[in-house]
Amino acid sequence: MSRWRDAFSVFLDRRVFVMLFLGFSAGIPILLIFSSLSLWLGEAGVARSAVTFFSWAALGYSFKFVWAPLIDEVPLPFLTQKLGRRRGWLLIAQLLIVTAIVSMAMVDPAQGGLSLTLMAMSAVLLGFSSATQDIVIDAFRIEVGDVNLQAALAASYTAGYRIGMIVAGAGALFLASGLGTAKGNYIYEAWQFTYLAMAAMMLVGIVTTLVIKEPPRKYAPRPWAGSDYGRLVFVFICAVIGFVLTFIQVGQWLPSVEDAFFGFLLQCVRMVAAIAMAGVLGYLLVKVGAVNRAMAHQVWIEPVKDFFTRYGLKTAFVLLALIGLYRISDIVAGVISNVFYQDMDFTKDQIATAVKTFGMAMVILGGFLGGLLTQRYSVMKILIAGVVLVSFTNLAFIGIVYADPTALVQLPWSADPVLLKTVWMYFAVTVDNLAAGLASAAFIAFLSSLTSVSFTAVQYAIFSSLMTLIPKVIGGYSGTIVDSIGYPAFFALTAALGVPVLMLIYLAKYRLGLIAPAAVSLDKKTTGD
């Protein structure tokens, strides 16, 4: 009984409440790029395949490890001195988020052409600034509490994050619907006001940033001059320009194909070419002395070297594979979820009530459950439970398809298929979101345990970037995949993706058992054994 009491008591720590508000700030932007934006674009008449491609605007989350070293190393004029290293960067990121959301509100995607391009550029800015905010919040969370507090901090962060998503998801849908816009009755001004209201919600994060305390710095400042920081930023900007130009140019060279699989492979080639160009350009600039070589090594090489040194080559690669694939089932399915609900003829109010409100409440409950169970048992045990539940619950969405009155194959035991479809929707949303919340809380604690305090922002950014990179790239093609194989086969495919993840967890657990300190920190630190 005392173990359960100890597990509950950590949730009363002041730092846990701080993470609730910072999590809310982090949860606002994500749905304004994904589901709320997809509904807006759908009502504006943008093609379904193009709508899912907009999810790539959030690839900044998957590449944030590239500029995370700048967040760790580069001081901000005035703000770093007045607010501190973490709070200064956090304030800048939040102000950029507000700017990006307001910019999106000023564009009507129904006009197509330049307007759609401006919308995409604003969405990219939102993804970049939101990913930057995540870098700082993740570093703040790891630095503000010791390893025994991380599960509770992760659960509180997840709860705040999901509440923010409720506001940006259900809140945005209710507001837009209340202002009269709907599929077949598109009203740009309704969506414009909705996005401006979401920008105002970021005041919660801004106020929190201004009133919290800067976490203690756990390592000595680096001995770099101001000019070194300027040159480092210059190299980063040049690499970004090289990435963007290469991505655009290769896209013009590649042929257009209708086959989903080959189209995906060509886009992978495009992405790899752009990344390679950015890497080569950055390497050449370092070689010619555009940046302090010792600084470049410390910033970009040492965090990676530290990780491989602590865990060894084989174990490190297993851990990276697990990180990259752990959330593949729910992210790939989640990209097209709102389009799926629209195709099943659910209204915005129904989606807002069932998915964005009730569903998010289930995620919050699952997050606290995951944090409590991780605190009581062990990270690895809850990771295993999480991946099994997340994968299996994707199958529940197939029931919605077969319960639809227009389905070619219908479930036989209901005289009211409309009612059955609604019941299946709530069932699927309940089990899927409980599983997602539980798995997310455990996974955040797992990633935090792998991070060195000497490279907090960089290493966690690498982990969390890798966590979403592959799923988001595949998710960008989810609309095309559904067009090819249909929704039932698509959800069955996303469920099957959990099988290799489960194998990786067991392999990682075995490999970590060969490293005593890591095994203790991941398997025994919260058991009391």
Side-chain angles (χ1 to χ4, degrees):
M1 197 63 190
S2 62
R3 292 180 181 176
W4 284 108
R5 186 166 53 249
D6 292 341
F8 275 109
S9 65
V10 297
F11 287 93
L12 301 178
D13 192 290
R14 177 187 58 82
R15 293 166 291 181
V16 174
F17 286 101
V18 168
M19 290 311 304
L20 185 70
F21 292 106
L22 291 180
F24 176 85
S25 180
I28 290 292
I30 186 69
L31 289 188
L32 301 181
I33 305 174
F34 285 112
S35 59
S36 294
L37 180 59
S38 69
L39 287 174
W40 182 1
L41 296 174
E43 287 186 1
V46 179
R48 181 167 60 187
S49 58
V51 169
T52 55
F53 285 143
F54 260 79
S55 68
W56 287 352
L59 281 176
Y61 287 93
S62 301
F63 290 102
K64 60 187 178 183
F65 65 89
V66 176
W67 70 90
L70 304 183
I71 308 300
D72 249 351
E73 296 289 345
V74 178
L76 292 166
F78 180 75
L79 286 178
T80 297
Q81 183 179 3
K82 291 295 182 181
L83 298 178
R85 183 174 54 129
R86 298 305 184 199
R87 293 168 65 213
W89 273 107
L90 190 52
L91 182 61
I92 287 294
Q94 290 165 342
L95 293 176
L96 284 174
I97 289 171
V98 172
T99 301
I101 298 174
V102 171
S103 298
M104 294 173 73
M106 296 296 108
V107 176
D108 182 3
Q111 297 179 2
L114 179 60
S115 294
L116 203 57
T117 300
L118 292 174
M119 175 66 80
M121 293 173 63
S122 298
V124 169
L125 174 61
L126 181 56
F128 172 80
S129 52
S130 180
T132 301
Q133 178 184 230
D134 282 4
I135 292 170
V136 187
I137 292 177
D138 289 334
F140 180 93
R141 173 176 48 77
I142 294 170
E143 293 173 354
V144 81
D146 59 26
V147 67
N148 292 322
L149 191 62
Q150 287 302 317
L153 293 173
S156 181
Y157 170 82
T158 300
Y161 190 89
R162 298 300 178 173
I163 293 171
M165 292 179 72
I166 290 174
V167 172
L173 298 190
F174 278 130
L175 184 56
S177 179
L179 293 172
T181 186
K183 194 172 184 179
N185 184 39
Y186 171 64
I187 302 174
Y188 160 62
E189 289 77 11
W191 283 107
Q192 181 184 50
F193 182 83
T194 297
Y195 266 60
L196 290 175
M198 294 303 105
M201 291 296 103
M202 285 301 299
L203 287 173
V204 172
I206 293 173
V207 171
T208 302
T209 299
L210 294 175
V211 300
I212 60 177
K213 294 181 179 180
E214 178 77 3
R217 189 161 187 163
K218 298 182 179 180
Y219 64 92
R222 318 294 191 196
W224 312 122
S227 59
D228 290 328
Y229 291 120
R231 291 158 62 192
L232 186 70
V233 173
F234 169 76
V235 170
F236 170 72
I237 293 173
C238 289
V240 170
I241 293 173
F243 173 88
V244 172
L245 294 179
T246 303
F247 189 81
I248 294 173
Q249 186 60 53
V250 173
Q252 295 175 348
W253 290 339
L254 292 177
S256 177
V257 296
E258 295 186 4
D259 184 270
F261 177 73
F262 286 107
F264 170 71
L265 289 181
L266 289 177
Q267 292 302 320
C268 287
V269 170
R270 183 183 184 186
M271 184 68 69
V272 169
I275 294 172
M277 176 57 71
V280 170
L281 187 57
Y283 175 79
L284 292 176
L285 288 172
V286 172
K287 290 292 288 184
V288 300
V291 67
N292 185 316
R293 292 190 183 185
M295 183 181 192
H297 186 274
Q298 179 73 45
V299 168
W300 278 301
I301 304 300
E302 282 298 321
V304 178
K305 182 180 178 182
D306 169 81
F307 176 74
F308 280 93
T309 299
R310 282 188 294 121
Y311 290 102
L313 191 63
K314 292 181 180 179
T315 302
F317 276 120
V318 171
L319 291 173
L320 291 176
L322 173 58
I323 292 168
L325 295 175
Y326 185 80
R327 293 196 58 199
I328 191 168
S329 291
D330 60 322
I331 290 180
V332 171
V335 169
I336 202 171
S337 61
N338 268 353
V339 177
F340 167 70
Y341 293 127
Q342 279 186 320
D343 288 344
M344 295 296 103
D345 294 323
F346 291 109
T347 66
K348 279 201 302 297
D349 286 349
Q350 287 176 309
I351 297 171
T353 302
V355 182
K356 307 305 179 185
T357 304
F358 177 77
M360 288 302 173
M362 292 299 100
V363 172
I364 293 170
L365 179 60
F368 276 114
L369 180 62
L372 180 64
L373 292 176
T374 301
Q375 199 76 27
R376 174 62 181 82
Y377 297 106
S378 72
V379 175
M380 298 303 288
K381 289 179 181 179
I382 308 306
L383 280 182
I384 293 170
V387 73
V388 171
L389 292 172
V390 165
S391 301
F392 184 75
T393 53
N394 277 358
L395 298 176
F397 292 96
I398 299 176
I400 301 176
V401 178
Y402 290 141
D404 191 284
T406 62
L408 295 177
V409 178
Q410 295 182 10
L411 297 175
W413 54 81
S414 173
D416 187 351
V418 175
L419 175 61
L420 179 61
K421 186 175 72 167
T422 303
V423 171
W424 264 104
M425 179 190 194
Y426 273 88
F427 171 72
V429 167
T430 299
V431 296
D432 183 65
N433 285 277
L434 278 172
L438 184 147
S440 294
F443 196 53
I444 291 172
F446 172 70
L447 296 183
S448 301
S449 69
L450 300 179
T451 304
S452 168
V453 295
S454 298
F455 307 99
T456 311
V458 183
Q459 288 188 350
Y460 194 90
I462 292 173
F463 299 152
S464 57
S465 297
L466 183 60
M467 173 182 71
T468 58
L469 177 58
I470 296 175
K472 283 180 180 175
V473 170
I474 297 176
Y477 265 92
S478 58
T480 307
I481 296 173
V482 168
D483 287 341
S484 299
I485 65 176
Y487 280 118
F490 172 76
F491 286 119
L493 174 63
T494 61
L497 292 175
V499 175
V501 177
L502 190 61
M503 296 170 61
L504 281 171
I505 294 177
Y506 278 103
L507 181 57
K509 188 175 182 180
Y510 167 75
R511 295 297 313 177
L512 289 171
L514 304 177
I515 309 171
V520 170
S521 66
L522 291 172
D523 263 341
K524 299 180 181 178
K525 70 179 176 62
T526 58
T527 63
D529 295 339

